[in-house]
């Protein structure tokens, strides 16, 4: 059977469903309404939607069929008028069965779907059958959400899939929730430039992490870093660039100052509608500071809806919830850095650029604390991209905070955009199968909005020192500034006759040469091994060019 394209919207009294099912006969249309479920059938199409609340087929319910457009419009009445149904735009969640929805967010048994590639998803040894056999009440579901709290700074124990003798159990496991194997068995027979592991199918998690750190140390180029530090004319505009998400978050924060209760769903919905209406009005009036992305930030495009409908039908038994959430930081940082470097655009190299910066993609790594993942992001952000600048990394981390602060839909839209980049690449599509597809499904069916907001708050407040990268960045910067100042003093020492100082180089015309200092000369007396003693370094740091927007709500 084919799942047709559909959209769902609501008002205070009704739910409106539009189904696109071309080439069917009106006589073959079948509908069924049962409590919170709506079912549609017209060969070869079948659609079953499970709503957050109950709907009824009463006198106000209607159905119409536009044969020319192939659209079927259905209106169902809400059992409780005025009730607000959450997440009607998260299509994968609507397609979930009652049993899948009853298990609550986060802890969901795996369906064992193993589509894509030569490997498969790991099946659970125990199937959850529930405790009550009925639907979870609002109080039970709220209690589950309250229990899903993490201390993002305390490392959790990560499953290493190691046996007692130190050998791997059934081969290496990697990908989302460590549920895949065998999908990178032939990676070295292709031109995959994202993968850095010499043997991904036989390396434990600890071996993959050590390999990642060694690759970063080998890739980091101190000359490149100093060059970008001294001559940042091309980098400053990238740091000052404000993404559409920044504009949106500023407006939401201004509206929330109007004493809106964040725990009141109806109040939050009003804020969302108000922001959307204001952005749409600005777009119509030609506000040059607004973009088309601003006006539709809380709505999914037709292409995004189609992508969500094409996602695999999977549910998950999450063994390490905190690790899954922290994986979002790694992927969103790589995405944000590429987005900022290209000033809001993506290029044909974006799939590689995102994959190279992401530790999950390039080394199949995973993280147990927020600090660990942020340090890894900064290390890779200073070793692989076109521009390698500390403040650029800080701004990219701020972008991650903004996306998380905007909530589940903003994160999902970013993931769908990443999926589009990787799906259309001949080699890197495998990372969609390993990570992005599952994240897109899980964000709709299992991720907790509260956990995302908690993570955003922690990202907003975290501070990373340069020496935490294990590279003497402050020493490089201080030595570069000293050499640059020395060059400036030499230029100013030219006497009134225009003669260069004694020992200064001159060009063929007799004028003093005014070249930039050679970065390699800066390190003639500095031993660089990637791990140095920084006890005597100057701790004065450059002031940030950009201050973090807004004030994170406590």
């Amino acid at each position: 059977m084919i799942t047709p394209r559909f959209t769902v919207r609501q008002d205070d009294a009704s739910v409106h469903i539009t189904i696109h099912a071309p080439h069917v006969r009106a006589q073959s249309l079948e509908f069924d309404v049962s409590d919170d479920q709506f079912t549609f059938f017209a060969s070869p199409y079948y659609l079953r939607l499970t709503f957050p609340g109950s709907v009824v087929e009463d006198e106000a319910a209607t159905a119409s069929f536009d044969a020319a457009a192939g659209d079927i419009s259905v209106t169902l009445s809400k059992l409780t008028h005025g009730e607000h149904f959450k997440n009607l735009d998260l299509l994968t969640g609507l397609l979930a069965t009652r049993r899948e929805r009853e298990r609550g967010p986060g802890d969901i048994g795996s369906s064992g779907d193993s589509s894509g590639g030569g490997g498969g998803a790991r099946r659970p040894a125990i199937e959850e059958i529930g405790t009550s056999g009925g639907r979870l009440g609002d109080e039970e579901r709220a209690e589950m959400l309250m229990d899903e709290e993490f201390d993002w700074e305390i490392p959790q124990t990560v499953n290493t899939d190691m046996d007692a003798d130190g050998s791997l159990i059934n081969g290496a496991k990697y990908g989302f929730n460590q549920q895949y194997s065998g999908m990178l068995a032939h990676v070295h027979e292709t031109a995959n430039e994202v993968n850095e592991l010499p043997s991904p199918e036989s390396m434990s998690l600890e071996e993959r992490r050590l390999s990642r750190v060694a690759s970063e140390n080998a890739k980091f180029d101190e000359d490149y870093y100093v060059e970008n530090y001294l001559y940042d004319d091309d980098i400053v505009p990238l740091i000052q660039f404000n993404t559409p998400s920044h504009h949106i978050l500023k407006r939401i924060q201004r509206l929330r100052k109007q004493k809106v209760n964040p725990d009141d769903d109806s109040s939050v919905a009003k804020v969302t509608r108000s922001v959307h209406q204001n952005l749409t009005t600005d777009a119509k009036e030609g506000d040059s500071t607004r973009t088309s992305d601003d006006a539709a930030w809380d709505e999914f495009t037709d292409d995004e809806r189609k992508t969500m409908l094409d996602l695999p039908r999977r549910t998950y038994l999450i063994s390490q919830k905190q690790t899954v959430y922290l994986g979002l930081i790694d992927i969103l940082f790589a995405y944000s850095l590429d987005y900022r470097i290209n000033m809001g655009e993506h290029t044909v190299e974006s799939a590689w650029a995102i994959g190279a910066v992401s530790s999950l993609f390039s080394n199949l790594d995973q993280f147990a604390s927020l600090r660990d993942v942020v340090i890894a992001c900064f290390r890779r952000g200073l070793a692989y991209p076109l521009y390698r600048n500390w403040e650029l990394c800080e701004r990219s981390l701020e972008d991650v905070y903004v996306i998380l602060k905007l909530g589940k839909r903003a994160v999902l839209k970013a993931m769908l955009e990443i999926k589009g980049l990787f799906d259309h690449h001949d080699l890197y599509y495998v990372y969609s199968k390993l990570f992005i597809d599952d994240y897109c499904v899980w964000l709709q069916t299992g991720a907790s909005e509260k956990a995302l907001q908690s993570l955003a708050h922690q990202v907003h407040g975290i501070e990373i020192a340069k020496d935490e990268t294990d590279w003497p960045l402050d020493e490089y910067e201080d030595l570069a500034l000293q050499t640059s100042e020395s060059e400036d003093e030499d230029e100013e020492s030219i006497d009134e006759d225009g003669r260069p100082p004694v020992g200064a180089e001159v060009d063929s015309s007799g004028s003093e040469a005014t070249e930039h200092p050679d970065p390699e000369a800066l390190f003639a007396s500095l031993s660089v091994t990637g791990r140095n003693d920084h006890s005597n370094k100057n701790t004065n740091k450059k002031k940030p060019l950009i201050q973090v927007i807004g004030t994170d709500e406590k």
Side-chain angles (χ1 to χ4, degrees):
M1 306 300 288
I2 300 174
T3 301
R5 298 204 315 266
F6 68 93
T7 58
V8 182
R9 59 185 179 85
Q10 65 178 319
D11 54 36
D12 290 338
S14 306
V15 174
H16 306 277
I17 308 165
T18 302
I19 304 169
H20 183 67
H23 313 304
V24 298
R25 295 181 299 173
Q27 302 92 313
S28 66
L29 303 182
E30 296 181 16
F31 305 97
D32 180 68
V33 180
S34 175
D35 192 15
D36 59 347
Q37 270 193 354
F38 164 77
T39 305
F40 161 77
F41 172 75
S43 183
Y45 300 103
Y46 176 80
L47 178 66
R48 182 189 61 238
L49 303 178
T50 305
F51 296 110
S54 299
V55 292
V56 293
E57 190 176 5
D58 57 10
E59 295 79 5
T62 62
S64 62
F65 178 41
D66 184 345
D71 290 336
I72 302 160
S73 300
V74 180
T75 298
L76 302 174
S77 299
K78 295 180 178 178
L79 181 62
T80 304
H81 285 205
E83 180 182 5
H84 177 72
F85 288 0
K86 294 182 179 180
N87 301 329
L88 291 186
D89 54 344
L90 302 182
L91 305 186
T92 304
L94 292 178
L95 293 173
T97 64
R98 283 174 177 163
R99 183 173 180 179
E100 292 168 351
R101 297 174 69 90
E102 284 163 7
R103 289 168 179 161
D107 278 327
I108 302 179
S110 172
S111 64
D113 188 319
S114 58
S115 59
R122 192 169 42 182
R123 302 173 188 267
I126 300 176
E127 179 183 5
E128 294 185 11
I129 60 175
T131 56
S132 63
R135 294 175 58 196
L136 287 177
D138 292 339
E139 293 183 1
E140 292 179 80
R141 192 174 296 278
E143 185 177 349
M144 292 178 65
L145 286 174
M146 289 296 292
D147 291 340
E148 192 167 46
E149 296 182 353
F150 307 108
D151 188 335
W152 303 106
E153 288 298 328
I154 297 180
Q156 292 184 327
T157 301
V158 177
N159 181 17
T160 61
D161 287 323
M162 297 292 289
D163 206 345
D165 61 356
S167 60
L168 286 171
I169 303 174
N170 298 324
K173 301 294 189 300
Y174 45 78
F176 180 86
N177 198 33
Q178 297 288 93
Q179 65 182 6
Y180 294 99
S181 62
M183 296 184 68
L184 295 174
H186 306 289
V187 66
H188 293 298
E189 299 175 10
T190 67
N192 186 331
E193 296 181 352
V194 168
N195 174 68
E196 290 184 330
L197 297 175
S199 182
E201 296 296 337
S202 61
M203 298 177 70
S204 68
L205 179 59
E206 182 62 25
E207 290 172 334
R208 299 198 295 262
R209 179 170 296 116
L210 293 175
S211 177
R212 171 181 65 79
V213 172
S215 297
E216 292 163 357
N217 288 335
K219 180 64 176 176
F220 178 72
D221 186 338
E222 60 272 12
D223 296 343
Y224 200 126
Y225 176 78
V226 167
E227 181 100 11
N228 280 187
Y229 176 76
L230 289 176
Y231 314 118
D232 58 359
D233 291 345
D234 293 334
I235 299 176
V236 170
L238 308 182
I239 297 173
Q240 295 175 338
F241 172 68
N242 278 328
T243 67
S245 298
H246 283 73
H247 297 301
I248 294 164
L249 182 59
K250 284 182 178 179
R251 292 205 164 199
I252 290 177
Q253 289 174 336
R254 284 199 293 267
L255 286 172
R256 283 184 172 173
K257 290 180 180 179
Q258 302 173 2
K259 297 183 179 180
V260 175
N261 181 7
D263 297 325
D264 184 353
D265 291 335
S266 61
S267 297
V268 174
K270 290 177 182 178
V271 169
T272 298
R273 288 195 295 270
S274 177
V275 172
H276 178 67
Q277 290 169 359
N278 290 341
L279 290 171
T280 304
T281 300
D282 288 346
K284 290 179 179 178
E285 294 176 353
D287 187 346
S288 60
T289 65
R290 303 276 78 81
T291 70
S292 59
D293 291 336
D294 293 343
W297 74 274
D298 61 340
E299 296 180 355
F300 294 102
T301 65
D302 290 340
D303 289 340
E304 289 170 338
R305 294 191 189 98
K306 183 179 184 302
T307 301
M308 285 191 284
L309 288 176
D310 292 338
L311 288 170
R313 297 293 305 281
R314 295 173 182 167
T315 52
Y316 305 96
L317 179 61
I318 304 296
S319 57
Q320 296 285 343
K321 293 184 185 179
Q322 182 163 318
T323 298
V324 173
Y325 281 105
L326 291 174
L328 289 173
I329 304 297
D330 176 83
I331 298 173
L332 290 176
F333 178 87
Y335 161 81
S336 299
L337 183 58
D338 179 72
Y339 190 87
R340 182 168 289 278
I341 286 176
N342 293 297
M343 298 284 283
E345 302 285 343
H346 290 294
T347 69
V348 295
E349 295 293 332
S350 289
W352 172 85
I354 294 172
V357 173
S358 168
S359 298
L360 271 68
F361 291 2
S362 60
N363 289 272
L364 307 178
D365 203 355
Q366 60 177 341
F367 300 93
S369 74
L370 177 60
R371 182 164 296 275
D372 286 346
V373 67
V374 173
I375 291 173
C377 288
F378 275 52
R379 280 173 59 90
R380 300 192 72 81
L382 296 175
Y384 291 86
L386 174 63
Y387 296 110
R388 306 170 188 179
N389 179 276
W390 183 266
E391 291 171 6
L392 188 59
C393 289
E394 290 182 325
R395 280 289 274 171
S396 298
L397 184 63
E398 181 187 328
D399 295 339
V400 175
Y401 156 74
V402 171
I403 294 173
L404 291 171
K405 193 66 178 176
L406 286 176
K408 186 183 296 185
R409 284 167 184 78
V411 178
L412 178 56
K413 287 175 76 73
M415 285 293 176
L416 290 171
E417 187 173 353
I418 298 170
K419 175 176 169 58
L421 295 172
F422 281 82
D423 279 355
H424 292 89
H425 197 281
D426 293 341
L427 296 173
Y428 303 149
Y429 70 89
V430 67
Y431 296 105
S432 281
K433 303 297 183 184
L434 291 175
F435 294 99
I436 304 302
D437 286 357
D438 290 300
Y439 266 114
C440 288
V441 174
W442 173 75
L443 283 166
Q444 298 179 70
T445 61
S448 164
E449 188 73 65
K450 180 180 178 181
L452 292 175
Q453 293 303 307
S454 170
L455 185 56
H457 177 74
Q458 295 299 320
V459 169
H460 186 62
I462 194 169
E463 295 183 0
I464 301 296
K466 291 181 179 179
D467 59 2
E468 290 185 78
T469 63
D470 282 341
W471 297 325
L473 303 180
D474 283 317
E475 294 182 13
Y476 296 160
E477 293 172 5
D478 291 343
L479 186 58
L481 289 175
Q482 291 172 10
T483 304
S484 178
E485 292 172 357
S486 176
E487 292 286 340
D488 293 339
E489 292 175 358
D490 288 343
E491 292 179 0
E492 293 174 358
S493 65
I494 299 177
D495 60 18
E496 295 179 356
D497 296 332
R499 289 176 298 176
V502 177
E505 295 184 2
V506 295
D507 58 21
S508 58
S509 63
S511 301
E512 182 183 5
T514 57
E515 297 180 355
H516 291 306
D518 181 7
E520 294 185 0
L522 302 179
F523 307 101
S525 61
L526 182 62
S527 174
V528 179
T529 64
R531 299 177 182 270
N532 294 294
D533 180 15
H534 316 311
S535 57
N536 296 323
K537 70 174 182 297
N538 188 346
T539 57
N540 293 330
K541 302 178 183 178
K542 292 179 64 180
K543 295 182 179 179
L545 298 181
I546 301 296
Q547 299 296 325
V548 175
I549 63 170
T551 300
D552 192 35
E553 300 155 1
K554 301 292 182 183

